Amino acid sequence: MALSPTSLLSCLVSSALLTVLAWAVIKNDSVLKAAGKYICMFLALIVARILLPVEFGFTVTFLSRYVLTGLRDLLLSAVGFGAFEATVGQVLLFLWIAGTMCRFFICAGRYIYFRHKMEKCPGYFKHDVKAVIDRINREYGKEGEFKVLLVPGIQTPAIFGVVHPLILMPGVDYTEGEIYYILKHEMLHFYHHDMLVKIICEALCVVYWWNPAVFLLEKLIVRVQELRVDGLIILGRSEEEKTDYLECIAKSMRAGKQERTSLMITFVSQRGEAMRQRFRFICEGCWTRTGWKGIFTAIIACLLFTASVSVIVEPDYGEDIPGTFSYPNPQTSYLIEDDGYYEIYIDGEFVGKVREITEPFTELKVYKNEEKLTNEE
């Protein structure tokens, strides 16, 4: 595996295209019903693609004669800030890192503040929540421990924490039946590792703070998590029980917005069309359906993921070498032969590929592969 600017670019483009496709699938009820629970696999593969912005040994390379070559020339062009001089690429990298650090400290600060606030909150005393938790654990054969808190500023229930989960309850007067649905909903989020997925999504948003496709992907994942949990709760329920569950959700929606941190999953996480779709799926009980269409969706998802990691586009300079590279130092520059092409490394940095060795690269040493280069060094 090798990480390079072009492998990162290929990762971002392919993951964005896959995210748009996932959005189209999830938005359409009919298509989502056909995809079934396997849409979770599709979203997981998109996350995996973003986490692997590398070029693999089996990756097929295509050369871009104009677009990527021009982009690389732009990134390597020099800009000056008084006595300071850097390339456009270095400036963008600095802004990327600076933005990531700022977003990280903001998220960390909010988390610490919220965690500290939780320590001052009393336990939930309006119902015997321990008995309800024990009942739900018996239904699923689990033994998890959950601390239920009454939290000022919370208008809708939520779950917070990965190792020691806290279920946060507002001061709304819920019935005993509603408490059962709420606790079961939040506990299922925990048992299906949705909190861990939430942390991974937040980490991606911190790193790729400038990429709208990552934020869209996070919203899609939250939407699917809610549909999946709702489907598990209404499984085998009567129409009257489904109505009770819907009324419980509606009651939480009427409570309004709330103070929150990005590392929590709320009982009512989204509104608008996402919530209307959630209501439709609860009424129709669609999420639990599986069949050959779902398996077909899983196969397509795997094929799309494989295609996204199997192709990479590299800049091709041909015989037109940018002036920046006109006089490479033979002591620090070299070529690596790769499937009929030659990778160009100027001062140890990969800059592109050529089909033939021409000026100004005729004096550079040619290595057969990266392993041989590593051995000689």
Side-chain angles (χ1 to χ4, degrees):
M1 295 189 297
L3 176 63
S4 67
T6 47
S7 68
L8 176 61
L9 179 61
S10 295
C11 168
L12 295 176
V13 172
S14 60
S15 61
L17 292 175
L18 292 175
T19 300
V20 172
L21 178 59
W23 171 80
V25 170
I26 294 171
K27 185 179 179 182
N28 189 295
D29 284 4
S30 300
V31 179
L32 182 57
K33 291 174 186 177
K37 296 181 289 186
Y38 291 98
I39 191 65
C40 298
M41 175 188 293
F42 188 25
L43 294 173
L45 289 175
I46 299 175
V47 172
R49 181 67 186 102
I50 299 176
L51 292 174
L52 296 172
V54 295
E55 179 180 355
F56 296 90
F58 56 82
T59 302
V60 178
T61 300
F62 292 92
L63 298 182
S64 170
R65 186 69 176 85
Y66 300 104
V67 177
L68 283 190
T69 302
L71 177 60
R72 183 174 288 277
D73 293 346
L74 173 63
L75 294 177
L76 291 174
S77 59
V79 292
F81 302 93
F84 177 79
E85 185 172 307
T87 65
V88 172
Q90 290 172 334
V91 173
L92 293 177
L93 180 60
F94 172 78
L95 294 176
W96 184 353
I97 295 175
T100 298
M101 296 301 295
C102 288
R103 187 172 179 86
F104 170 78
F105 285 118
I106 290 173
C107 291
R110 289 176 177 174
Y111 173 82
I112 294 172
Y113 164 78
F114 202 80
R115 190 79 194 189
H116 179 70
K117 183 178 180 179
M118 295 303 100
E119 295 176 356
K120 301 179 181 179
C121 294
Y124 191 75
F125 52 82
K126 295 188 177 184
H127 292 277
D128 187 2
V129 292
K130 185 179 185 306
V132 178
I133 290 174
D134 291 341
R135 173 188 170 187
I136 297 170
N137 277 332
R138 286 195 300 271
E139 291 176 0
Y140 289 95
K142 302 289 187 178
E143 298 180 352
E145 295 183 1
F146 298 83
K147 190 174 182 180
V148 185
L149 302 177
L150 182 62
V151 183
I154 290 289
Q155 276 74 49
T156 184
I159 187 167
F160 178 76
V162 177
V163 180
H164 302 291
L166 304 175
I167 297 179
L168 317 179
M169 295 294 295
V172 179
D173 291 326
Y174 289 109
T175 66
E176 186 175 343
E178 289 170 339
I179 288 293
Y180 168 78
Y181 285 128
I182 290 170
L183 295 183
K184 188 172 185 177
H185 184 100
E186 303 304 340
M187 290 169 66
L188 285 176
H189 274 308
F190 179 79
Y191 284 140
H192 284 84
H193 310 292
D194 289 346
M195 291 303 301
L196 180 60
V197 174
K198 181 72 172 175
I199 291 177
I200 294 174
C201 289
E202 288 301 321
L204 290 178
C205 290
V206 167
V207 175
Y208 295 99
W209 55 269
W210 47 268
N211 187 355
V214 173
F215 289 89
L216 174 60
L217 177 62
E218 182 189 33
K219 289 185 177 181
L220 295 177
I221 290 174
V222 170
R223 189 166 175 171
V224 169
Q225 285 177 340
E226 296 301 329
L227 291 174
R228 181 185 60 185
V229 169
D230 289 341
L232 292 171
I233 289 178
I234 66 171
L235 184 62
R237 300 284 176 182
S238 65
E239 293 301 319
E240 182 179 356
E241 290 173 320
K242 292 180 182 178
T243 301
D244 292 339
Y245 182 54
L246 286 172
E247 290 178 349
C248 180
I249 296 175
K251 188 174 183 178
S252 296
M253 289 180 63
R254 289 192 294 269
K257 296 182 179 180
Q258 67 176 48
E259 178 185 353
R260 59 183 297 176
T261 174
S262 57
L263 295 180
M264 67 189 298
I265 298 178
T266 60
F267 188 55
V268 181
S269 56
Q270 295 179 332
R271 298 176 183 270
E273 176 55 32
M275 185 56 67
R276 288 191 290 271
Q277 183 186 52
R278 185 176 171 185
F279 275 33
R280 290 194 299 269
F281 271 55
I282 291 174
C283 293
E284 300 171 9
C286 301
W287 183 251
T288 56
R289 297 178 184 174
T290 57
W292 69 268
K293 292 180 179 179
I295 297 175
F296 179 75
T297 301
I299 295 174
I300 293 298
C302 292
L303 290 176
L304 289 173
F305 173 78
T306 302
S308 70
V309 299
S310 300
V311 176
I312 188 171
V313 181
E314 301 277 8
D316 176 23
Y317 289 111
E319 297 181 359
D320 300 323
I321 308 302
T324 307
F325 308 144
S326 296
Y327 303 100
N329 184 350
Q331 302 298 322
T332 58
S333 306
Y334 50 88
L335 304 174
I336 295 180
E337 187 176 355
D338 180 33
D339 293 334
Y341 298 99
Y342 296 93
E343 297 180 350
I344 309 168
Y345 287 81
I346 305 298
D347 296 330
E349 180 182 356
F350 174 75
V351 298
K353 292 185 178 183
V354 292
R355 295 185 180 88
E356 299 179 358
I357 301 177
T358 59
E359 292 291 343
F361 302 128
T362 53
E363 301 299 323
L364 301 184
K365 190 170 183 179
V366 180
Y367 295 92
K368 291 295 182 182
N369 51 54
E370 293 188 17
E371 288 75 17
K372 182 174 180 180
L373 171 61
T374 303
N375 292 336
E376 290 195 14
E377 290 179 346

